[in-house]
């Protein structure tokens, strides 16, 4: 399995002149980018009133996602940390205004300026610390806090991302909720290990039901490997975990997953207890007991 780009170098280093041009001239990559942007715009649920909206494109790169925004008749401003990517966007005469900046340092934007925001394959970069002075949680706090303020009340932000783990999903989602957003994660094609796509749908100032994911009937879309499992409803909100898929794997696998027997698979074993404790910690509870070697262990009855 190839290394994830964010593990190789910071984005402004990884996307140098060569990589920026390679990314922008790759036909398959362009098609994927357009498809992901179309879905992000659909999840934004902008009013169909014929009035062009001003959107923020975070991690705009060479302007591929911006092209799709323009095709929908909206105006946009793009932010990216890679100067090489922005140079390619200028060469391609991107219709949006472009800014160079690091999302992890906050967004230098006016309050209530945007009718919506999208990001394609960029937010997971904030979870990597390139130096000991960088803290992913602080970078996420800076990003979400300024993003929230830059959106008009009632506006949405849809952030498509490639999470590395469930823990990373929780860290990103928690930062968004603490900034004031409501919403959660919508997972398209949740039953596919290759076509699964993650969209963090955030609402500024007004809660609304999460959109339904695509591919609930098992249909697949694009084929890209992913690493995080989600529940059967395709939606993962703050604090929720992927459900174990141990049906039919036999008594031994069932016990390893925290069950006790086939007759009583819901019995509260060690893994089940740890899972529930992790959920409560992710929800912000501070009264959760620490894990120890005694967690889930049966206690002996004391004699009288």
């Amino acid at each position: 399995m190839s290394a994830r780009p964010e593990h190789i170098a910071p984005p402004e280093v990884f996307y140098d002149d060569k990589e920026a041009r390679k990314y922008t001239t790759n036909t398959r990559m362009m098609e994927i980018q357009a498809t992901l942007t179309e879905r992000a715009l659909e999840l934004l649920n902008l009013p169909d009133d014929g009035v062009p909206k001003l959107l923020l494109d975070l991690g705009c790169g060479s302007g591929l996602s911006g092209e799709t925004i323009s095709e929908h008749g909206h105006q946009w401003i793009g932010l990216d940390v890679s100067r090489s990517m922005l140079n390619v966007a200028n060469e391609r005469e991107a219709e949006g205004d472009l800014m160079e900046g690091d999302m992890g340092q906050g967004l230098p934007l006016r309050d209530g300026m945007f009718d919506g925001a999208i990001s394609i394959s960029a937010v997971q970069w904030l979870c990597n610390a390139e130096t000991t002075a960088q803290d992913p949680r602080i970078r996420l706090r800076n990003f979400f806090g300024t993003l929230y303020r830059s959106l008009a009340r009632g506006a949405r932000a849809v952030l498509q991302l490639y999470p590395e783990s469930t823990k990373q999903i929780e860290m990103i989602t928690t930062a968004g909720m603490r900034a004031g957003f409501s919403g959660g994660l919508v997972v398209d094609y949740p039953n596919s290990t290759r076509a699964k796509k993650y969209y963090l749908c955030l609402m500024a100032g007004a809660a609304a039901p999460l959109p339904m994911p695509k591919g609930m009937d098992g249909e697949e879309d694009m084929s890209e490997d992913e690493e995080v499992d989600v529940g059967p409803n395709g939606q993962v909100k703050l604090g929720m975990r992927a459900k174990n898929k141990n049906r039919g794997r036999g008594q031994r696998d069932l016990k390893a997953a925290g069950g006790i027997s086939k007759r009583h698979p819901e019995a509260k074993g060690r893994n089940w207890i740890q899972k529930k404790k992790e959920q409560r910690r992710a929800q912000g509870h501070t009264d959760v007991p620490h894990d120890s070697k005694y967690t889930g262990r049966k206690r002996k009855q004391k004699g009288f």
Side-chain angles (χ1 to χ4, degrees):
M1 185 175 179
S2 59
R4 295 170 64 95
E6 60 267 28
H7 291 173
I8 299 174
E12 66 271 24
V13 176
F14 181 84
Y15 290 109
D16 56 13
D17 291 345
K18 179 180 178 181
E19 192 66 28
R21 296 185 186 283
K22 176 183 175 182
Y23 186 94
T24 310
T25 56
N26 185 308
T27 303
R28 179 172 177 273
M29 189 63 67
M30 295 171 69
E31 291 175 352
I32 291 174
Q33 192 85 355
T35 301
L36 294 174
T37 306
E38 289 280 357
R39 177 57 170 156
L41 291 173
E42 179 183 344
L43 293 171
L44 270 186
N45 195 30
L46 296 169
D48 187 15
D49 54 10
V51 179
K53 302 297 184 287
L54 178 60
L55 304 181
L56 176 60
D57 185 1
L58 296 156
C60 65
S62 57
L64 294 179
S65 50
E67 283 186 356
T68 303
I69 295 175
S70 296
E71 289 171 0
H72 280 257
H74 302 302
Q75 300 173 340
W76 57 278
I77 295 176
L79 175 75
D80 203 279
V81 71
S82 169
R83 181 170 297 183
S84 295
M85 278 288 203
L86 295 175
N87 287 340
V88 174
N90 279 319
E91 292 174 6
R92 300 177 69 249
E93 299 182 349
E95 294 185 25
D97 294 325
L98 305 173
M99 298 186 299
E100 181 180 351
D102 180 1
M103 296 189 301
Q105 295 181 3
L107 308 176
L109 301 167
R110 192 173 71 244
D111 290 359
M113 180 177 180
F114 293 95
D115 301 306
I118 67 166
S119 178
I120 307 298
S121 313
V123 174
Q124 70 271 4
W125 288 86
L126 295 174
C127 296
N128 291 275
E130 307 300 338
T131 67
T132 55
Q134 291 183 343
D135 185 334
R137 285 176 174 79
I138 294 177
R139 289 173 60 76
L140 286 167
R141 184 182 65 194
N142 293 340
F143 168 64
F144 281 112
T146 51
L147 173 60
Y148 184 87
R149 291 194 296 271
S150 73
L151 293 174
R153 294 298 74 107
R156 294 188 181 190
V158 176
L159 315 175
Q160 184 273 328
L161 66 156
Y162 291 106
E164 186 174 6
S165 64
T166 305
K167 182 178 179 181
Q168 191 177 88
I169 287 178
E170 290 180 351
M171 181 168 65
I172 294 172
T173 308
T174 298
M177 300 304 166
R178 287 178 176 171
F181 286 106
S182 60
L185 199 67
V186 173
V187 185
D188 284 349
Y189 309 98
N191 301 315
S192 170
T193 57
R194 296 178 62 84
K196 206 176 292 181
K197 293 294 174 290
Y198 299 81
Y199 298 86
L200 183 58
C201 298
L202 302 173
M203 298 114 187
L210 283 176
M212 288 300 297
K214 289 185 175 182
M216 295 299 294
D217 57 358
E219 176 191 359
E220 292 197 8
D221 186 23
M222 296 173 295
S223 58
E224 291 186 53
D225 292 333
E226 296 294 344
E227 302 175 12
V228 183
D229 292 326
V230 295
N233 65 347
Q235 298 175 344
V236 182
K237 290 188 177 181
L238 182 61
M240 294 182 65
R241 288 276 188 171
K243 296 184 180 297
N244 290 324
K245 300 176 182 177
N246 294 299
R247 296 187 182 92
R249 292 187 179 181
Q251 182 80 4
R252 189 171 180 179
D253 288 347
L254 188 59
K255 286 184 178 181
I260 302 300
S261 67
K262 288 183 177 179
R263 181 173 294 180
H264 300 288
E266 73 282 1
K268 298 175 176 57
R270 177 184 175 87
N271 284 6
W272 186 92
I273 293 172
Q274 288 181 323
K275 177 181 176 181
K276 291 299 180 184
K277 289 163 75 173
E278 288 173 2
Q279 288 178 349
R280 287 184 61 80
R281 290 184 186 120
Q283 292 168 349
H285 294 281
T286 59
D287 58 347
V288 183
H290 294 290
D291 295 330
S292 73
K293 64 180 180 181
Y294 300 107
T295 300
R297 182 179 293 184
K298 288 186 177 180
R299 308 301 171 97
K300 293 182 179 179
Q301 294 287 344
K302 292 184 178 181
F304 294 96

